[in-house]
Amino acid sequence: MGHIDVHKPLASLPDPAIVTFPAQYTVSGGQLDARVKLNKQIGAFNGLRLQVLDATNSRVRARDIVQDEISSETYTSLQLDLSGLPNGIYVYEIVDATGLSLAAAQFCLIGSARSRVGLLHPFFTWHAYCAEGGDSFYKGAQFDETRVIELSLHRPLQGLSRCHDPSSLRNMSVLLDREDVAHTSFCSQHFHRNPEILEDFDVLVMAGHDEYWTHAQFDALEAFIKRGGHVANFSANVLCWAVDAQDDKIRVDKRNTFEPGISHARSSGQFRSPWINRPQQRLFGLNYFSAGYPTKRVPKAKASAILSEAEYDTSDKIEVIARDHPIFEDIEIDKGVLQTTGDSLLDVEVDGVFLNGTEVDRLRTTDVARDTKVLAKALVNVAYARPDQLGRLNTDLWFETVGIMAECVPFDGGGTTIQIGSVGWYKAAKRPGSNEARLTTNTIKYLLGKQNEQMDV
């Protein structure tokens, strides 16, 4: 067994002696290219080794490293043959002779076997939140001065929160392996460069906080659904910002304003902005701007101006509307409430759709896919000014019960999308046998079943 805790963020190693990143997060040629650099001078190491572990922490490849190969000035390329290994998520680790971990990074490998399920890693979003080198899409000199930001993808992913850490996708992969769901992992950078990869899959699984997309990705996703492909989306605030990806850099214009000759650029603004006009709800029925934050992200003292203590304390419950839907098979539901374990799944950010009873409120939510069925609902803090149920425009604190799970058929004759609108869903895969883990695999198997039905027709 290796030293990497499958539930612990890789970026949590304190002040590592060596910093590292894979030259390509998605390895498709059978050879790992790890870039490494000394972070600080700490004397001679005793017996360095580069080892590769699979998602269950079993060592599958290793080689010795000569210390002189690693510099404190520039990144050095360390290569390791991975040919013959199956599709999967892997970690490479640099250890000393005692087994002490000095550096680690995650990557995914595309093997030769075809899988019906593709698991998309939100690599662009991880870098958007990574502040290695001082800049991210949310802070740093570029953000402060221009709001037009360019980031290198050739840097370590460090200092990330749990919902943005690559380990959350490893948890999902372990869950799918446990349920015998063969799948291929690949990241957004590989997807952008090779949009035809979706032709290999029947179901695309989106997990983690997949907020930043290129138009090439979006185009491929729409084409995939139109030709009958299905999508299981276990996240929220997806397909939000349009980015441009060139070489090993991503660029975003966070001003989100219209400028003739500039705002039509493929990397300008949010997808829902009028000059782009590709709102998320056309594909998934839900969007971030019809929900926002979980209620408990607002301090109770502040929320008490609107909610009772009982409403606040029970706000993290998920109420099931479509109890007989196949994704809820063998799921414990008590008095209409999905029974979950441990931390609330309504965490960080939530996607939703306004409701009229149990149906989509189409007067207040525009552009929702026509064939949309709401599956579950929850009370959330609606983060953006929109008309409430009485037609009032709210500009201050506002809570409402909205749909947070939906099934859509966005295009006539096309595939089905199911969205479970919570960034916190990354926690589901950590608890084998739990209702939330079972719901995750039920959803994927349900969509695989729909594909089987299409093939039988």
Side-chain angles (χ1 to χ4, degrees):
M1 297 294 287
H3 302 276
I4 302 299
D5 180 351
V6 77
H7 301 312
K8 183 178 181 181
L10 296 173
S12 63
L13 290 173
D15 195 20
I18 297 173
V19 290
T20 186
F21 61 90
Q24 297 297 330
Y25 182 86
T26 301
V27 177
S28 58
Q31 181 167 272
L32 170 67
D33 183 359
R35 304 295 170 86
V36 300
K37 185 173 73 170
L38 289 175
N39 189 27
K40 55 185 178 179
Q41 297 288 354
I42 60 172
F45 295 108
N46 181 18
L48 292 179
R49 285 178 67 78
L50 172 67
Q51 60 182 23
V52 170
L53 314 173
D54 65 16
T56 61
N57 286 346
S58 298
R59 192 172 74 176
V60 294
R61 290 285 194 280
R63 82 167 178 88
D64 294 332
I65 303 171
V66 178
Q67 182 169 339
D68 290 345
E69 289 184 81
I70 306 178
S71 165
S72 61
E73 302 298 325
T74 61
Y75 282 100
T76 300
S77 175
L78 298 179
Q79 297 183 338
L80 185 62
D81 180 31
L82 303 178
S83 58
L85 292 179
N87 296 327
I89 300 177
Y90 296 85
V91 169
Y92 71 81
E93 184 180 30
I94 298 173
V95 298
D96 66 12
T98 69
L100 177 66
S101 179
L102 302 173
Q106 181 172 298
F107 66 96
C108 51
L109 174 68
I110 298 180
S112 58
R114 183 190 182 277
S115 304
R116 296 181 62 193
V117 176
L119 176 59
L120 177 60
H121 294 223
F123 186 66
F124 291 155
T125 300
W126 294 337
H127 273 283
Y129 282 88
C130 173
E132 171 71 16
D135 280 319
S136 74
F137 280 172
Y138 295 88
K139 61 182 177 181
Q142 295 180 75
F143 180 82
D144 293 338
E145 294 169 8
T146 68
R147 293 295 198 272
V148 180
I149 308 138
E150 186 175 88
L151 300 174
S152 171
L153 301 175
H154 267 189
R155 58 184 187 148
L157 287 168
Q158 297 193 33
L160 295 172
S161 63
R162 278 198 177 269
C163 64
H164 296 124
D165 192 272
S167 63
S168 62
L169 271 292
R170 191 159 73 258
N171 296 339
M172 176 68 79
S173 183
V174 170
L175 172 64
L176 298 184
D177 283 341
R178 188 183 299 119
E179 295 294 324
D180 294 323
V181 178
H183 58 285
T184 296
S185 284
F186 64 107
C187 77
S188 48
Q189 182 185 34
H190 186 84
F191 181 20
H192 168 75
R193 292 176 173 175
N194 305 275
E196 68 279 0
I197 191 173
L198 294 192
E199 297 174 6
D200 293 339
F201 308 127
D202 296 329
V203 175
L204 174 67
V205 177
M206 296 162 54
H209 186 190
D210 206 348
E211 183 177 0
Y212 291 89
W213 281 57
T214 66
H215 283 266
Q217 289 178 266
F218 206 131
D219 292 344
L221 178 67
E222 282 191 332
F224 172 71
I225 298 170
K226 285 179 178 178
R227 66 173 175 264
H230 308 290
V231 181
N233 180 22
F234 301 100
S235 187
N237 199 17
V238 296
L239 300 173
C240 182
W241 286 96
V243 299
D244 186 34
Q246 295 289 338
D247 299 322
D248 290 307
K249 294 182 173 62
I250 51 173
R251 176 188 177 277
V252 71
D253 186 342
K254 299 283 290 197
R255 294 171 299 174
N256 202 37
T257 57
F258 179 81
E259 294 184 54
I262 296 176
S263 296
H264 290 289
R266 299 268 283 184
S267 62
S268 292
Q270 296 171 347
F271 280 110
R272 74 184 186 109
S273 301
W275 55 90
I276 297 179
N277 193 27
R278 305 181 88 173
Q280 305 96 311
Q281 63 267 29
R282 287 183 186 168
L283 299 182
F284 296 117
L286 313 180
N287 68 10
Y288 180 63
F289 301 93
S290 297
Y293 296 141
T295 296
K296 289 188 177 178
R297 184 162 173 169
V298 180
K300 181 185 284 191
K302 185 175 181 180
S304 65
I306 300 174
L307 299 178
S308 68
E309 185 172 351
E311 288 174 315
Y312 183 92
D313 290 343
T314 60
S315 63
D316 51 6
K317 67 183 180 181
I318 298 173
E319 299 179 68
V320 176
I321 294 174
R323 178 65 183 89
D324 294 332
H325 195 284
I327 71 169
F328 296 113
E329 184 178 355
D330 297 325
I331 302 292
E332 184 182 359
I333 298 173
D334 183 24
K335 297 179 180 177
V337 176
L338 173 67
Q339 301 301 295
T340 59
T341 54
D343 298 331
S344 171
L345 295 176
L346 296 182
D347 185 29
V348 189
E349 291 173 339
V350 182
D351 275 0
V353 63
F354 292 129
L355 295 177
N356 181 3
T358 59
E359 305 291 331
V360 175
D361 187 341
R362 295 185 181 275
L363 293 178
R364 293 194 296 144
T365 313
T366 60
D367 290 319
V368 177
R370 182 179 61 194
D371 187 353
T372 297
K373 180 179 182 180
V374 180
L375 306 178
K377 61 184 181 179
L379 179 67
V380 302
N381 167 213
V382 181
Y384 289 82
R386 301 289 290 277
D388 68 8
Q389 291 165 308
L390 298 178
R392 301 171 299 192
L393 184 65
N394 284 268
T395 57
D396 199 1
L397 198 60
W398 172 24
F399 302 92
E400 185 171 336
T401 297
V402 301
I404 66 156
M405 295 185 192
E407 178 179 13
C408 303
V409 180
F411 307 107
D412 290 340
T416 297
T417 70
I418 291 185
Q419 175 150 322
I420 296 177
S422 167
V423 167
W425 207 263
Y426 69 93
K427 299 172 180 176
K430 296 195 300 183
R431 302 184 176 91
S434 66
N435 280 331
E436 47 266 53
R438 191 175 297 114
L439 178 58
T440 302
T441 52
N442 277 359
T443 299
I444 296 169
K445 291 178 179 180
Y446 168 70
L447 293 175
L448 286 171
K450 292 186 75 67
Q451 184 68 24
N452 293 340
E453 293 172 4
Q454 291 171 204
M455 295 174 64
D456 291 339
V457 172

